[in-house]
Each structure stands twice: as structure tokens, then as C-alpha cells.
Amino acid sequence: RQQHDGIMKYLVRDLSKSIFKKLQPNKVVIILGARRVGKTMLVQEVLDQLDEPVLRLNGDDVYVHDRLSIRSVENYKQILGSFKLLFIDEAQKIPDIGSKLK
């Protein structure tokens, strides 16, 4: 079990570094993988290392769907406020999420 935990810590650390390097202004980073393999946990690990506050939304929340349905720059600026980074867990559940992120 100890060896398994060591491998997991190494993988999380290695993947976290890779994701961290991809974070750039006005860019989207998509994390894909099978269900229940730790994608959200991995992203949380990366976000916890940042000095800036992160707006965290969940695509399962109908309120999030409603807020993002108004497709205007002004609406998105209002949602983001002073946040410089947006994390949407379960983003695939938000209708037209690709266009909205664009």
C-alpha cells in the first residue's frame, strides 16, 4: 500500500506541474478522464497552490446554467468580478459551454 501511495503522490505532483504550466490568461485548460479517477482533486491541488482567488463553479448547479446563459461580455465580467481564474467542475453539463468559454 505504501508503494501505491507513493506512486499516486508522484503522479499527482507530476500532473499538477503540467497543468500549472498550461494556465495562461484567456485560455481554457480541459481535464479529461474516466469517472471517479480524481480529476477534481487534481485540479483542487493545482488551484490551492495559486496566490490568486479562484471562482469555482459547478456545472451540476442550475443557477450556474442560468447565470452563464446570458451570453454577453458584460454578464461574464460581472460573474467573474475581480477573479482572474475560473474553475468549472462538471462543465460538460452546461449547455453550449464551448461557445461560452470562447
Side-chain angles (χ1 to χ4, degrees):
R1 177 83 179 144
Q2 253 184 347
Q3 184 178 3
H4 182 264
D5 288 342
I7 291 170
M8 289 304 295
K9 287 178 186 175
Y10 173 78
L11 288 173
V12 168
R13 188 172 56 244
D14 194 45
L15 290 171
S16 294
K17 286 180 188 177
S18 179
I19 293 168
F20 193 76
K21 289 178 186 177
K22 302 279 185 200
L23 295 178
Q24 298 177 28
N26 301 312
K27 296 295 177 188
V28 175
V29 177
I30 300 172
I31 309 298
L32 301 171
R35 294 186 64 198
R36 308 205 39 87
V37 295
K39 297 180 296 293
T40 299
M41 187 180 79
L42 175 63
V43 172
Q44 297 291 354
E45 174 93 14
V46 172
L47 298 179
D48 289 345
Q49 296 175 34
L50 299 175
D51 291 332
E52 298 184 35
V54 177
L55 176 58
R56 299 166 196 241
L57 302 177
N58 191 308
D60 283 326
D61 188 336
V62 176
Y63 176 74
V64 171
H65 293 217
D66 291 345
R67 288 294 312 267
L68 294 177
S69 68
I70 302 168
R71 294 172 72 175
S72 72
V73 173
E74 188 57 38
N75 180 51
Y76 295 147
K77 282 182 180 180
Q78 188 177 26
I79 292 169
L80 287 171
S82 61
F83 291 100
K84 301 292 183 199
L85 192 63
L86 170 64
F87 167 55
I88 305 176
D89 196 17
E90 300 294 339
Q92 77 278 5
K93 295 180 179 178
I94 299 171
D96 298 321
I97 189 61
S99 298
K100 292 171 183 172
L101 291 174
K102 196 174 187 180

